Amino acid sequence: MDERDMEIEGMIIGNDGEEERLERYTSGSAEDKDSLRQPLLLKNARINNTSQLAIVGANVCPIESLDYEIIENDLFKQDWRSRTKDEIVQYIFLKWTLALLIGLGTGVVGFLNNLAVENLAGFKLLLTNSLMLKQKYYQAFAAYAGCNMVLAFAAAALCAYVAPAAAGSGIPEVKAYLNGVDAPSILAPSTLFVKIFGSIFGVAAGFVVGKEGPMVHTGSCIAFLLGQGGSRKYRLTWKWLRYYKNDRDRRDLITCGAAAGVAAAFRAPVGGVLFALEEAASWWRSALLWRTFFTTAVVAVVLRGLIEFCRSGNCGLFGQGGLIMFDVNSAKPVYSTPDLLAVILLGVIGGILGSLYNYFVDKVLRTYSIINEKGPSLKIVLVLAISLLTSCCSYGLPWFSQCIPCPDYLGDDQCPTGRSGNYKNFQCPPKYYNDLASLFLTTNDDAIRNLFSSASDKEFQLSTLLTFFVAIYCLGIITYGIAVPSGLFIPVILAGASYGRLVGTFLGSFTSLDAGLFGLLGAASFLGGTMRMTVSLCVILLELTNDLLVLPLVMLVLLISKTVADCFNKGVYDQIVKMKGLPYLEAHAEPYMRNLVASDVVSGPLVTFSGVEKVGTILHILKVTKHNGFPVIDETPFSAAPQLCGLVLRSHLLVLLKGKKFTKQRVRVASGIMRRFIANDFLKPGLGKGIQLEDLDIKAEEMEMYVDLHPISNTSPYTVVETMSLAKAAVLFRELGLRHMLVVPKTLERPPIVGILTRHDFMAEHILGLYPQLDPHKKQP
């Protein structure tokens, strides 16, 4: 072992008798080793190997945390103090400009998404219907299933080979990112590209999926790209753009993007803001509320203008109904006690069915993850198999349904119609329609319109509603998790509306509420049972139906369904976050954390730097460790006793070493570094990886030189005393959006720092791995 290795080991183990403590401990009794309060050094010798890998797409990727903390060092203070009034105005102007661009981009993408889906699906359905009218039933099925499989193959190929992270909804990944989890590729340009086109192909292919979840992911990707702070590759290095080269401002932009995605998907601007507040964001403030609301308002204006343009027939098959908007204005606003009892029953059923839905989705996702690990080809085979099964159900099940005479109040030109609407002829004679085909052989949006329709309570038979509910319930479960962008909102609304209308039709003689309103309340109850959201779902449904009179009933059914479902399991997005292994920090601490203190879960080894450190030592530590933050300790001659100077980041050390502002003597040269660097040099890069360890070219003589770390050290890191409750530390860590939390000793006689807590140290698998006796689900002997 050379001198540099011995010096590093001294920093890791320390020279204050801790080695002797470790030796005494390892030779002690088994009872000592199993005690709850183990010696801290043994914990520092442990390495936290849990929660640092997660599933992104079908790949297992390393997980890092985002730096939401404001770094306060000498360079930052110099930049902040020198910022002029004009620069502050530029920064504020850029915030609102980027919010405007996010709204414009997401609105246009949402419109084009609907335009493409309506035309692709419309062509497929028109071709199938024309063959059916000619009684070419086998050719009609071949055309229908063939078009579905071609579209499904295109979506699966994009996800399997271009961007695996684009598969699925994307909401769990966005939610984890806004919580502080940095997973590779979840917001990359390739993911955005595949999310847009894969969602178009997947929805048009007839899968029981929606484009609403992917739209949230799409809006977040657009916001992420706009918040990169420019690009050297494309020579977009405008000084203003540098303001956003930090995770804190990017987080706000992505929150706006997530809200814009919901607004573009449902044409619900207020619902989008509340969705971001209730489900997506982990941090919120009033200033962000204004910008998010502005972004969703821009989306609403863009969509309205584009839809009005399409009403003149310039957009092919799109424009008749616009983006999804369900009309239940004919519902009776007056309700009595039997009606309220029926609504309560709907809420209870929705909570039970929703929790069961989440349970099966979790099991199916775990099964599919095994298949997806086998390679891209098996992903595509699985998608094609589900596509063929969906086509067989959509085309085959209507054959078992009876033909129903068209209502008398409709003219010959309205029943049946070959394009859209409530009535599909299928194999029936003239002036008759197939009610099950009217739900299956149409777009998902039109199927929901049919179920929400209040024209007639007997429009759909009980057997039809039951068959459709069972089919959609099962197909929705087995479809989510295949390699296509897929949202859960539409499948859940379809299943909920069908069972709600089924209950309404069955209780027709006991209640004054019509079947269409029951369909809406059933969808609300199922959404509450699966998503576990209340306020945002309530507003989204009201904006979708344009009927404020049903507000009390929707509120009641959402509250009941969520309460019932919470008795069984968590929301579907929370389950997916956990299943993927994303280290998500909950808003509350687990009860067993109150039995531990901060020092009980500190993992190591703890590596520290001196205020003026040898270049070779820094370089060697960066090579042998993967830590992203290192405490800086001032010692003699810079301090009378060892004291904590601050925290330095790995990325900042790489910039400093690349600048080569070294000295031959171990002295402080902060002024020279301040002249050599500016604050912008240490900003976080965008999509690029920034400076890597391999980019450094340190010569042999420079390895023995010194570098002053004081100017780049965060002199005000967040610290907690080692005896603080772990539950309290976890809440503090999440609320402040930290990446590193320093644990300091309670007594002055000890070294100035005990260890560092990171996101992974608060994960249940790490804590219960250290102290299995605290596991609430484990039977105690």
Side-chain angles (χ1 to χ4, degrees), residues 137-155:
Y137 300 126
Y138 292 107
Q139 293 93 326
F141 173 73
Y144 181 74
C147 290
N148 283 344
M149 295 188 72
V150 169
L151 292 170
F153 177 82

Side-chain angles (χ1 to χ4, degrees), residues 58 107 115 174 201 213 438 513 574 579 635 767:
L115 180 66
V174 172
F201 296 144
S438 301
L513 303 178
D574 294 325
M579 190 206 68
E635 300 172 332
I767 299 172

Side-chain angles (χ1 to χ4, degrees), residues 88-165:
I88 295 174
V89 172
Q90 291 172 2
Y91 174 70
I92 297 174
F93 176 77
L94 186 60
K95 277 186 176 183
W96 291 95
T97 302
L98 291 177
L100 173 65
L101 294 176
I102 292 170
L104 290 173
T106 308
V108 171
V109 169
F111 169 77
L112 295 177
N113 192 317
N114 280 273
L115 180 66
V117 167
E118 291 286 337
N119 280 282
L120 288 174
F123 169 79
K124 173 189 68 178
L125 294 173
L126 285 176
L127 176 61
T128 305
N129 187 65
S130 63
L131 292 172
M132 291 288 294
L133 292 176
K134 298 176 183 178
Q135 298 185 351
K136 297 180 178 180
Y137 300 126
Y138 292 107
Q139 293 93 326
F141 173 73
Y144 181 74
C147 290
N148 283 344
M149 295 188 72
V150 169
L151 292 170
F153 177 82
L158 286 173
C159 281
Y161 292 105
V162 180

Side-chain angles (χ1 to χ4, degrees), residues 28-308:
S29 64
E31 183 178 355
D32 293 336
K33 296 179 183 179
D34 294 335
S35 64
L36 188 63
R37 294 291 186 269
Q38 300 173 354
L40 183 61
L41 181 63
L42 186 68
K43 297 169 192 157
N44 285 347
R46 294 188 305 240
I47 298 177
N48 183 355
N49 291 318
T50 62
S51 309
Q52 300 184 21
L53 295 174
I55 300 174
V56 180
N59 303 319
V60 178
C61 304
I63 296 298
E64 298 290 347
S65 294
L66 297 169
D67 293 308
Y68 290 154
E69 182 183 357
I70 296 177
I71 305 298
E72 291 186 347
N73 53 35
D74 293 341
L75 284 167
F76 171 83
K77 292 176 182 177
Q78 179 195 56
D79 177 65
W80 177 75
R81 290 169 180 164
S82 63
R83 184 170 290 182
T84 63
K85 184 177 180 180
D86 291 341
E87 290 178 323
I88 295 174
V89 172
Q90 291 172 2
Y91 174 70
I92 297 174
F93 176 77
L94 186 60
K95 277 186 176 183
W96 291 95
T97 302
L98 291 177
L100 173 65
L101 294 176
I102 292 170
L104 290 173
T106 308
V108 171
V109 169
F111 169 77
L112 295 177
N113 192 317
N114 280 273
L115 180 66
V117 167
E118 291 286 337
N119 280 282
L120 288 174
F123 169 79
K124 173 189 68 178
L125 294 173
L126 285 176
L127 176 61
T128 305
N129 187 65
S130 63
L131 292 172
M132 291 288 294
L133 292 176
K134 298 176 183 178
Q135 298 185 351
K136 297 180 178 180
Y137 300 126
Y138 292 107
Q139 293 93 326
F141 173 73
Y144 181 74
C147 290
N148 283 344
M149 295 188 72
V150 169
L151 292 170
F153 177 82
L158 286 173
C159 281
Y161 292 105
V162 180
S169 168
I171 292 180
E173 287 79 4
V174 172
K175 183 176 179 178
Y177 184 93
L178 293 177
N179 189 258
V181 179
D182 188 13
S185 304
I186 61 174
L187 298 174
S190 59
T191 303
L192 173 62
F193 173 81
V194 174
K195 204 74 181 184
I196 294 173
F197 289 96
S199 177
I200 292 172
F201 296 144
V203 175
F207 284 120
V208 185
V209 298
K211 50 187 176 291
E212 289 67 32
M215 274 306 305
V216 174
H217 198 176
T218 298
S220 300
C221 289
I222 293 173
F224 181 76
L225 293 178
L226 290 174
Q228 291 304 299
S231 171
R232 293 183 180 179
K233 179 179 179 181
Y234 299 104
R235 298 182 181 180
L236 297 174
T237 55
W238 195 19
K239 182 180 179 181
W240 289 18
L241 297 176
R242 297 178 184 175
Y243 293 145
Y244 278 81
K245 281 185 173 291
N246 63 84
D247 289 327
R248 192 180 185 89
D249 286 322
R250 288 175 189 164
R251 175 188 67 191
D252 292 348
L253 290 178
I254 292 170
T255 303
C256 293
V262 174
F266 290 110
R267 218 166 84 189
V270 180
V273 175
L274 293 176
F275 173 85
L277 170 62
E278 184 178 5
E279 181 65 16
S282 295
W283 297 277
W284 197 266
R285 60 185 188 279
S286 58
L288 181 59
L289 178 65
W290 276 104
R291 264 185 292 148
T292 307
F293 184 72
F294 171 73
T295 306
T296 58
V298 171
V299 173
V301 172
V302 170
L303 290 178
R304 186 174 183 84
L306 292 174
I307 290 172
E308 288 299 324

